[in-house]
Amino acid sequence: MVAQARACPALATARTLAEWVGTGREVTARGVLRPAAAVEACDLLGIEVPSRRLRSALDVHELMMVWSAAAAAGFIEVTGGRVAAGPGLGQWLEGTPENVLAVWASCAAQSLGLAGEAEPEDLEYLVVLATLYERGGAASSAELSAAIDELAGGPPFCECPDCTARGEAPGAVAGLSDLDPDEAGAEEDAVWALGEFGIAQARDEGAELTPLGHWFTDLLFRVNAPAADADAAELVAALSGLPDMVTELMGRSWLSARTPAAAVRELLAAGAAASGQERLTALALARGRGPEAAPAWREWAARDGFGAHARVWLAEQDGTEPAEADEAWVAVDTLTVLLDSLPADVPANLLPAILRAGAGAELAEVLPLLEGCGHPDAPRLAGLLGGDPGSGPVPAPIPLPVPAPREGGSGAAYQIKVQLRGVTKPPVWRRLQVPADIRLDRLHEVIQAAMGWENYHMHVFSHGSGEYGLPDRELGHRDERKVALSQLLTLAGDRIGYTYDFGDGWEHDIVLEEVLPPGTEVADPCCTAGKGACPPEDCGGVWGYEELKATLADPDAEDHEDMLEWLGLDSGDDFDPKEFSLAEVNRRLRH
């Protein structure tokens, strides 16, 4: 296994990078290689660069993946404006087999998001690994795809929120071995990433674990699982937030040490004392113990409050309808967990608005049941849904957008002004004419072209009704493809926000200056006026741009030469923040 670990592509390439770094190379303020050195490193590693005159190593995704792996393995360390080979490289080359495997496992876990706080997309790796582990080391493409679909709550290509049917994703049963990772689906992408660390490999109709992968998954799911003698509260705390199948897998040792009834008794006690996601985790584990656990559920059914979960479970087993009050108690219990788990930047009334829209005319019947179920959070939830005004302030409903009309269908046209907030001397703005019913995803492309951005980063439109971008449950973004500009701006003076690059935080104001007279046709967006050059990507936001301009204007500035090299300029005079070409902007818009 040590030989396999050393031979895995990710670590082999990271080692080459670290040996090239050697005793030291200079890095930028962002802790990455300077542009010229980044090009040299790409040549060494066989990575294609978009230009021989890079603005930043951050622009080369493949290089940054190698850089991140080398840092996670301890092969490189950045200190004092320089990067040098780290102690992990010595352990990798000359250490004991145990040290080599420890370095490899730590790097793989960090790089794949399996250590610490996992990002949502990293859970796909975890689910693929769990599926392979559960099936003895091999699984078909369809099995892996189904596991990822279950993680996401349904097939990714289905947009219907009420759809529970399992459709077959295009290419879901295709072989993985001949697919390019840039064109792959989620399961193929995950297998490719695991393959970079020598954990899994594609086969004709699926994927399989390597011997190294068997060792790693056993370490992950068995050795690192909560101990069989752990307290139930410790168990649910350790497993909280993991996908259901991973929770079952890592709880197996603990569950096997108890009868189903004994496990449910402990889990329900832990769930009743817990809150938030830990309560849901305890209930999910308890529900999976089957009918043999019925005695424990009957004991809890005699209790008030949390006992509603037990009474609902028992009714399900008998095929009978649970009491409405119990259903209402369980609904309030679950919904308040969801409300309290919403990210801080998601409007507090987003979930209630969705629930109101879904309940429709039945809301008037549902509210009294929720208010009278006896749950301590029932008044708060009923108030949010539009119930008793005395239960607290009721946020204004979010106006859910109707489906966007076909672009260009209304014939109306807008004149809008897009201005970069906080940038002065000179200000940066563009005056545009666009169809009134242009979809927001198209407007995003227009703004990118008109301003001069390069669409490297995420974006979001902000309006009183919510935030619109690529649909994202974690960020709370609603689907910009389903909303037209005319649904957000209707009268002259109306405005919305547009933020590009959440790191640098480029904020724009979009103001409706004029609804153009009837008969004015704008088949394609065009720019009629503007001012100021677009700041360079990744220069650090408004503050960083001001520093950049000052540095370029001062040949004696410490970073003057570095800044010229980053921008690919021969002289500071080659950069003109006032530069604006109407013809060039419209050329970009036409393309």
Side-chain angles (χ1 to χ4, degrees):
M1 286 194 301
V2 172
Q4 294 172 12
R6 284 196 168 118
C8 79
L11 272 295
T13 311
R15 170 189 167 180
T16 300
L17 177 66
E19 290 176 336
W20 172 80
V21 165
T23 56
R25 304 261 179 175
E26 291 186 355
V27 296
T28 67
R30 294 195 171 196
V32 297
L33 290 170
R34 295 189 182 277
V39 171
E40 186 180 343
C42 288
D43 289 343
L44 172 73
L45 301 175
I47 297 173
E48 185 177 346
V49 292
S51 168
R52 302 300 296 177
R53 305 185 75 175
L54 280 180
R55 292 189 304 176
S56 171
L58 294 167
D59 293 342
V60 188
H61 178 66
E62 192 174 350
L63 174 61
M64 294 316 301
M65 289 177 63
V66 179
W67 183 269
S68 298
F75 289 3
I76 58 173
E77 287 187 341
V78 177
T79 54
R82 293 180 65 82
V83 60
L89 184 61
Q91 295 180 3
W92 185 252
L93 297 175
E94 302 173 2
T96 64
E98 290 77 13
N99 284 340
V100 171
L101 287 176
V103 169
W104 174 87
S106 175
C107 178
Q110 290 183 59
S111 299
L112 297 170
L114 305 178
E117 196 75 21
E119 296 294 329
E121 60 269 21
D122 294 332
L123 293 178
E124 292 180 356
Y125 302 138
L126 191 62
V127 164
V128 167
L129 284 174
T131 304
L132 292 169
Y133 183 76
E134 280 284 71
R135 286 161 174 75
S140 69
S141 299
E143 290 170 329
L144 296 176
S145 178
I148 291 177
D149 285 352
E150 184 177 347
L151 171 66
F157 54 88
C158 177
E159 295 186 356
C160 173
D162 298 321
C163 178
T164 56
R166 170 70 173 97
E168 200 59 49
V173 294
L176 305 181
S177 56
D178 57 351
L179 290 177
D180 186 316
D182 292 334
E183 300 177 357
E187 70 277 8
E188 291 94 340
D189 243 352
V191 171
W192 177 81
L194 294 172
E196 287 294 290
F197 288 92
I199 296 172
Q201 59 190 13
R203 63 179 193 181
D204 288 341
E205 294 184 353
E208 61 186 2
L209 292 174
T210 64
L212 187 62
H214 279 283
W215 175 82
F216 182 68
T217 51
D218 188 62
L219 175 71
L220 193 65
F221 297 125
R222 186 182 61 83
V223 177
N224 287 341
D229 59 354
D231 181 84
E234 297 174 18
L235 175 79
V236 297
L239 303 183
S240 177
L242 293 175
D244 289 347
M245 69 175 300
V246 179
T247 300
E248 280 286 334
L249 182 56
M250 296 191 70
R252 184 169 296 163
S253 176
W254 188 93
L255 294 166
S256 299
R258 294 157 178 78
T259 66
V264 167
R265 287 188 185 94
E266 292 186 48
L267 288 168
L268 292 182
S275 59
Q277 186 60 50
E278 291 184 15
R279 172 176 283 198
L280 299 186
T281 298
L283 285 165
L285 284 170
R287 280 180 158 271
R289 306 288 56 84
E292 294 180 19
W297 289 100
R298 282 194 287 269
E299 292 168 13
W300 271 88
R303 307 189 186 194
D304 293 332
F306 191 78
H309 283 286
R311 292 188 291 274
V312 169
W313 184 90
L314 290 168
E316 291 172 356
Q317 307 312 303
D318 297 338
T320 59
E321 288 291 328
E324 288 184 339
D326 289 336
E327 283 189 307
W329 201 99
V330 169
V332 171
D333 204 40
T334 304
L335 289 173
T336 50
V337 170
L338 295 177
L339 279 170
D340 294 339
S341 301
L342 288 174
D345 57 351
V346 174
N349 58 352
L350 175 62
L351 182 59
I354 294 172
L355 293 173
R356 283 195 297 270
E362 297 179 2
L363 184 61
E365 300 176 16
V366 171
L367 279 175
L369 292 174
L370 297 180
E371 292 175 304
C373 72
H375 194 288
D377 285 318
R380 176 168 73 106
L381 183 62
L384 287 170
L385 290 174
D388 179 11
S391 62
V394 181
I398 298 177
L400 299 177
V402 298
R406 181 175 61 85
E407 191 173 317
S410 69
Y414 282 172
Q415 177 174 291
I416 61 173
K417 182 178 180 180
V418 182
Q419 180 156 355
L420 191 55
R421 193 181 302 169
V423 177
T424 58
K425 298 180 182 179
V428 179
W429 58 268
R430 308 287 184 261
R431 178 166 288 119
L432 306 172
Q433 290 186 354
V434 298
D437 51 13
I438 185 173
R439 296 194 319 264
L440 293 188
D441 61 317
R442 284 277 291 117
L443 181 61
H444 156 68
E445 296 173 355
V446 169
I447 293 172
Q448 289 284 308
M451 297 299 292
W453 299 119
E454 299 186 42
N455 208 9
Y456 288 159
H457 304 288
M458 295 180 67
H459 68 279
V460 67
F461 291 91
S462 302
H463 181 257
S465 62
E467 295 193 326
Y468 303 87
L470 294 177
D472 189 306
R473 279 181 286 184
E474 289 296 317
L475 294 176
H477 295 171
R478 303 164 77 184
D479 194 343
E480 64 184 359
R481 297 167 299 181
K482 299 179 179 180
V483 182
L485 180 61
S486 58
Q487 293 172 266
L488 305 182
L489 302 180
T490 56
L491 300 174
D494 287 352
R495 65 179 59 218
I496 58 175
Y498 170 80
T499 302
Y500 171 63
D501 185 354
F502 298 163
D504 281 1
W506 297 109
E507 297 182 344
H508 306 66
D509 290 313
I510 303 173
V511 180
L512 174 57
E513 291 189 323
E514 182 182 357
V515 179
L516 297 178
T520 304
E521 293 188 5
V522 179
D524 297 305
C526 64
C527 181
T528 61
K531 191 172 185 178
C534 184
E537 295 268 4
D538 300 316
C539 69
V542 173
W543 179 87
Y545 184 43
E546 293 302 315
E547 287 289 303
L548 179 147
K549 289 189 289 187
T551 299
L552 289 176
D554 181 6
D556 296 325
E558 180 180 353
D559 295 332
H560 182 78
E561 293 300 323
D562 291 337
M563 197 64 71
L564 289 178
E565 183 180 11
W566 179 56
L567 293 172
L569 302 176
D570 296 323
S571 164
D573 295 334
D574 294 336
F575 180 79
D576 182 7
K578 298 179 181 178
E579 182 179 3
F580 170 76
S581 168
L582 184 63
E584 174 61 21
V585 170
N586 280 309
R587 184 194 67 79
R588 290 198 300 264
L589 285 170
R590 285 194 299 272
H591 283 279

